[in-house]
Amino acid sequence: MPPRRTDERHAIGDAARRLGDRIDAEVLLQHVLRRPASWLLAHADDVLSLADERAFVELVRRRQLGEPVAYITGRRGFWSLELEVTPATLIPRPETERLVELALDRLADDVPVRVADLGTGSGAIALSIGTERPRARITATDASTEALVVAQRNARRLCIPNVQFVHGDWLAPLGEVRFDLIASNPPYIEADDPHLEQGDLRFEPASALASGPDGLDDIRRIVTDARRHLLPGGWLLFEHGWNQGEACRALLEAAGYGEVFTAQDLEARDRVSGGRWAGRA
């Protein structure tokens, strides 16, 4: 797509044909112009400046090479928030909003509660819960210092003061603190899954995606270790793959959790499992 003076309508159409995705093309042009979708619709016949056209061409080229739109724009919507994302963080996905919903169902909004988010990445889960439950005190952990920097910037920009971020692997940074609810979207893809070499996954941090031969290594650790950090009656909830519900329920039951369940996502696939800790092994 050589640079040429063109209007927004034709620029989007040409990019959509190249990308096979009109939404991606529109999002990239919105990013270049720093304008919302409604503005593009109202100004479809406006001619792009040469600088904007060249910038758009470059972003389309990057997307053609497979780079995720979220990393190109540095933004991804999640829950009611617009989050900064970088290649140091997993890209938040709509399926994970199911985990947030299930957590909120178990957290009263009129009393102080303690919540932990393990492997917070961009802060998506912790910040979504924090904005819906302002009386909650939320601790978000991550082993990546680069990811924590992004999460902290998101918290400051969104003015969500009730989330603190700590560096460390899963539950290790939590000390002796116990929580009413622990949530996590851990890695759960099998280490040799060919999908890791396809699409957007090629660009995301491998440590946030894959977890051992069956994808359950980190989930096993969380299920075991979370018991020391849950108050009696506290909940552990975590996301997993569509075909891992039965295995996750078995892990929870073997570890002594009660009220074990698996919830499905909007596409009727197993997505989140959890259980309640009675306070005894």
Side-chain angles (χ1 to χ4, degrees), residues 60-71:
V60 171
R61 183 192 68 81
R62 288 168 60 184
R63 182 58 184 148
Q64 283 183 287
L65 293 175
E67 189 174 350
V69 170
Y71 288 159

Side-chain angles (χ1 to χ4, degrees), residues 7 16 57 75 120 125 158 189 208 222 227 235 246 262 270:
D7 60 44
V57 167
R75 290 287 187 272
T120 195
I125 295 169
L158 296 167
I189 300 176
I222 290 169
R227 296 176 297 182
W235 285 94
E246 183 178 357
T262 296
D270 285 357

Side-chain angles (χ1 to χ4, degrees), residues 12-152:
I12 290 174
D14 193 12
R17 286 189 294 274
R18 290 176 177 273
L19 298 176
D21 192 316
R22 186 175 183 86
I23 293 176
D24 281 0
E26 291 176 350
V27 169
L28 293 176
L29 188 56
Q30 289 171 46
H31 179 68
V32 168
L33 299 178
R34 296 179 174 83
R35 300 286 189 176
S38 57
W39 194 93
L40 292 187
L41 185 63
H43 294 261
D45 295 325
D46 285 8
V47 175
L48 294 173
S49 71
L50 187 57
D52 286 340
E53 187 174 352
R54 285 173 173 166
F56 182 54
V57 167
E58 173 58 17
L59 298 194
V60 171
R61 183 192 68 81
R62 288 168 60 184
R63 182 58 184 148
Q64 283 183 287
L65 293 175
E67 189 174 350
V69 170
Y71 288 159
I72 295 174
T73 63
R75 290 287 187 272
R76 170 56 66 92
F78 181 85
W79 198 251
S80 61
L81 310 175
E82 184 182 60
L83 299 170
E84 175 189 350
V85 294
T86 77
T89 69
L90 195 69
I91 298 171
R93 289 170 169 79
E95 307 93 273
T96 305
E97 294 183 351
R98 184 70 173 122
L99 175 58
V100 174
E101 291 174 353
L102 292 163
L104 293 174
D105 287 344
R106 290 160 174 80
L107 295 170
D109 60 3
D110 57 349
V111 296
V113 290
R114 282 189 174 273
V115 178
D117 171 27
L118 311 179
T120 195
S122 64
I125 295 169
L127 296 172
S128 297
I129 294 174
T131 194
E132 299 290 347
R133 296 290 183 270
R135 298 195 67 184
R137 288 180 291 172
I138 303 165
T139 302
T141 75
D142 207 291
S144 166
T145 55
E146 293 86 354
L148 285 176
V149 168
V150 175
Q152 289 167 334

Side-chain angles (χ1 to χ4, degrees), residues 189-233:
I189 300 176
E190 298 174 6
D192 61 354
D193 191 316
H195 292 95
L196 293 169
E197 302 301 324
Q198 301 171 11
D200 288 0
L201 297 184
R202 293 173 294 162
F203 294 82
E204 296 185 79
S207 61
L209 295 169
S211 183
D214 62 356
L216 295 173
D217 280 4
D218 287 298
I219 288 176
R220 288 189 185 92
R221 180 175 171 188
I222 290 169
V223 167
T224 298
D225 293 351
R227 296 176 297 182
R228 288 195 305 111
H229 295 280
L230 283 170
L231 292 164

Side-chain angles (χ1 to χ4, degrees), residues 160-191:
I160 303 173
N162 55 330
V163 182
Q164 66 166 338
F165 299 93
V166 291
H167 178 250
D169 196 31
W170 300 125
L171 298 109
L174 299 182
E176 300 302 318
V177 181
R178 291 180 178 266
F179 297 86
D180 297 279
L181 185 142
I182 296 174
S184 183
N185 177 19
Y188 52 75
I189 300 176
E190 298 174 6

